[in-house]
Amino acid sequence: MSIFSSLFSRETEEDYELETTQSTDGKLNASSSALTGELCEGMRIDVTTPEGTPLLSGKITALTSTTLTLERLPGGLAFKICSLEAAVCASGYDKKMVPISLRATVQESSRTVLKLKNVQVETHAENRDAFRLPLSVPVSLYRWEDDHYKTPEECLLVDISTGGACVQSEYIHSEDEVLRIRLKLDDYTPLNFVGQIVRCIEHAPGQFRYGFLFAQLTEEEITSLNKILFNMQTGVKRTHMRTEIGHW
């Protein structure tokens, strides 16, 4: 039995979600015009199965009120071929830098292009905190008492949202442990957060993934982090975007 079988067994509404967030009432936004009003070419979109299994990430190269065409991101490898008429979910950021979730059907799928039809905007409770930008960048964890960041624990950032992050590490941490995290995203000023371990899975032998819940961010901090994540997914690089209050 895994040494983590008894850890992170609690699941509350305040936990940093590692699963797909459910919609408020299971209904979709009936306004198809919202699609072209909220998205634009060049934006990053992450596509998953309805169960949440990642399929691919691409950038929008064309869109109408009910369709989206995605091509590979710069440096991206070939797309996974999706079954025609398969139902999929997609997520990204809209023009207001607020996370957006979509449901659609596969119309065309190749190694370089994915075209989705019947695209509809899905309404979510707590939508701003639900979207997670998948990444693969180095981050450092620090013990709570290490307030001068002298002893880093090097690990990997798997994804991040304004609510928290998923971090992969070879180090063992316990449920409810309070830590500090420092991360550098592209050319932006390094970010420092205080947070708490709320969930863990053994991803591979000797490698563990932790759900890290940030201490409550202010509206200003949420807005700034959303801007950074939005710019990263659309390929825009702006430096020194940070707030001088709170944890950063």
Side-chain angles (χ1 to χ4, degrees):
M1 180 179 296
S2 167
I3 60 174
F4 283 92
S5 60
S6 62
L7 294 182
F8 301 96
S9 58
R10 295 186 309 164
E11 294 187 5
T12 70
E13 294 180 355
E14 296 180 352
D15 282 356
Y16 172 65
E17 295 289 350
L18 294 182
E19 293 85 17
T20 304
T21 303
Q22 298 297 316
S23 62
T24 307
D25 53 11
K27 298 180 180 179
L28 299 176
N29 188 337
S31 175
S32 61
S33 62
L35 191 63
T36 53
E38 296 177 354
L39 300 176
C40 64
E41 292 183 15
M43 288 181 169
R44 171 176 173 149
I45 295 293
D46 299 302
V47 182
T48 70
T49 66
E51 294 74 31
T53 302
L55 293 174
L56 57 90
S57 297
K59 66 177 181 178
I60 300 174
T61 55
L63 74 162
T64 70
S65 60
T66 59
T67 66
L68 277 180
T69 300
L70 303 179
E71 296 184 7
R72 291 177 297 170
L73 295 167
L77 300 176
F79 282 168
K80 179 179 180 179
I81 301 296
C82 301
S83 301
L84 299 184
E85 303 300 324
V88 295
C89 296
S91 58
Y93 279 98
D94 66 15
K95 292 178 180 178
K96 296 180 180 179
M97 293 166 291
V98 174
I100 183 172
S101 297
L102 311 168
R103 286 190 181 273
T105 304
V106 176
Q107 178 175 332
E108 177 185 335
S109 179
S110 73
R111 292 294 186 181
T112 58
V113 174
L114 176 69
K115 188 170 183 178
L116 303 177
K117 64 180 181 179
N118 303 327
V119 183
Q120 293 180 289
V121 179
E122 187 176 22
T123 56
H124 284 280
E126 301 299 330
N127 194 30
R128 293 187 64 181
D129 292 337
F131 177 75
R132 302 181 296 279
L133 182 65
L135 297 168
S136 182
V137 298
V139 296
S140 299
L141 291 177
Y142 300 82
R143 300 291 179 178
W144 164 249
E145 59 272 15
D146 188 6
D147 54 358
H148 294 293
Y149 300 93
K150 292 183 177 180
T151 309
E153 172 189 316
E154 302 301 336
C155 47
L156 182 72
L157 179 66
V158 178
D159 60 51
I160 185 173
S161 75
T162 54
C166 178
V167 176
Q168 183 170 313
S169 173
E170 62 182 13
Y171 293 84
I172 297 175
H173 293 285
S174 61
E175 182 180 5
D176 292 332
E177 185 175 355
V178 177
L179 300 169
R180 301 177 188 271
I181 185 171
R182 170 171 287 181
L183 57 149
K184 181 77 166 60
L185 301 176
D186 282 352
D187 296 327
Y188 297 96
T189 302
L191 306 176
N192 301 318
F193 296 98
V194 172
Q196 190 171 27
I197 298 292
V198 294
R199 190 170 301 168
C200 173
I201 62 171
E202 189 167 12
H203 180 67
Q207 292 293 325
F208 310 100
R209 286 193 173 181
Y210 296 99
F212 189 78
L213 180 70
F214 296 153
Q216 185 65 47
L217 303 184
T218 66
E219 284 298 314
E220 290 85 357
E221 290 172 325
I222 290 173
T223 298
S224 289
L225 183 53
N226 266 334
K227 287 180 179 179
I228 292 174
L229 299 182
F230 175 81
N231 289 339
M232 289 182 66
Q233 75 148 357
T234 55
V236 176
K237 295 189 183 270
R238 297 176 184 173
T239 58
H240 306 297
M241 181 173 285
R242 62 171 293 178
T243 172
E244 296 299 331
I245 62 178
H247 308 293
W248 333 357

